[in-house]
Amino acid sequence: SYWHFRTAKVSVETVIEKAAALGVPGVDILHRQLDIPEREPLTPEHRACLQKLKRHALVNGTSLICLSIHQDFVDANVETRRKEVAHTLKCLEIAHELGIPCVRLNSGRWNTLPSFDALMKARGVEPLPEGQTEDDGFRWCIECIEQCLPRAAELGVTLALENHWGLTRT
């Protein structure tokens, strides 16, 4: 989230360098902060970019400890959830390429508030869509995570569920 304190996006390389200068041993990476397209399939060029970033962290003595992603499993539409699972599987590949042992994912949200800022103002609580229940949302989330678990296990990447907004807010 380092770059959110500035108008311009801060590169992950810069975050690594600043963390190293401060003596911070490791960093979480926001998937959206990477210099590869967020929703496109990984290409050999993207993988080369990831390897360059991995090398940069090694040279700076900084561990890459978590990849924080933005997906949303809370949706009544099966196709939308399928796309979110595919996106999560891609993120698992990215974590593996970077040697990151953990992916922090979201449960998702109902998207009944107009923006993430509005959600934060409401402290993560938003109205449910008509005809849907929190049990529906939890069921969809569990089903989607279960679809990701075999690939996560193959790659040796742990899935960690974020709990500070959306369906899994505390």
Side-chain angles (χ1 to χ4, degrees), residues 25-95:
V27 296
D28 286 8
I29 294 176
L30 275 176
H31 179 222
R32 291 182 171 166
Q33 199 168 1
L34 293 172
D35 288 331
I36 60 174
E38 188 174 2
R39 294 284 175 158
E40 294 177 16
L42 285 176
T43 66
E45 293 79 20
H46 300 155
R47 291 179 191 279
C49 179
L50 295 172
Q51 291 306 308
K52 182 179 173 189
L53 182 61
K54 183 178 175 181
R55 221 173 5 265
H56 189 72
L58 178 66
V59 167
N60 281 275
T62 304
S63 296
L64 303 176
I65 55 176
C66 186
L67 178 66
S68 298
I69 69 171
H70 296 86
Q71 52 34 257
D72 189 341
F73 296 144
V74 182
D75 198 296
N77 185 293
V78 174
E79 180 59 20
T80 299
R81 291 195 312 271
R82 186 199 64 74
K83 287 178 182 176
E84 295 300 303
V85 166
H87 174 66
T88 304
L89 294 173
K90 172 191 172 179
C91 291
L92 288 168
E93 295 287 336
I94 290 170

Side-chain angles (χ1 to χ4, degrees), residues 8-161:
K9 182 174 159 182
V10 176
S11 73
V12 175
E13 290 84 357
T14 299
V15 173
I16 289 168
E17 292 161 9
K18 297 235 184 232
L22 291 170
V24 176
V27 296
D28 286 8
I29 294 176
L30 275 176
H31 179 222
R32 291 182 171 166
Q33 199 168 1
L34 293 172
D35 288 331
I36 60 174
E38 188 174 2
R39 294 284 175 158
E40 294 177 16
L42 285 176
T43 66
E45 293 79 20
H46 300 155
R47 291 179 191 279
C49 179
L50 295 172
Q51 291 306 308
K52 182 179 173 189
L53 182 61
K54 183 178 175 181
R55 221 173 5 265
H56 189 72
L58 178 66
V59 167
N60 281 275
T62 304
S63 296
L64 303 176
I65 55 176
C66 186
L67 178 66
S68 298
I69 69 171
H70 296 86
Q71 52 34 257
D72 189 341
F73 296 144
V74 182
D75 198 296
N77 185 293
V78 174
E79 180 59 20
T80 299
R81 291 195 312 271
R82 186 199 64 74
K83 287 178 182 176
E84 295 300 303
V85 166
H87 174 66
T88 304
L89 294 173
K90 172 191 172 179
C91 291
L92 288 168
E93 295 287 336
I94 290 170
H96 179 72
E97 287 279 334
L98 290 170
I100 296 175
C102 185
V103 167
R104 185 180 73 185
L105 52 94
N106 302 300
S107 57
R109 55 179 284 237
W110 296 105
N111 293 297
T112 53
L113 294 176
S115 68
F116 188 76
D117 288 341
L119 179 67
M120 292 297 94
K121 187 175 181 181
R123 305 182 75 94
V125 179
E126 63 184 329
L128 291 132
E130 188 175 327
Q132 295 175 357
T133 67
E134 281 205 348
D135 285 345
D136 292 329
F138 281 112
R139 186 179 75 254
W140 299 326
C141 185
I142 290 165
E143 289 169 358
C144 290
I145 291 171
E146 285 176 341
Q147 292 174 51
C148 298
L149 288 174
R151 188 64 179 143
E154 282 176 26
L155 296 172
V157 177
T158 299
L159 290 175
L161 186 59

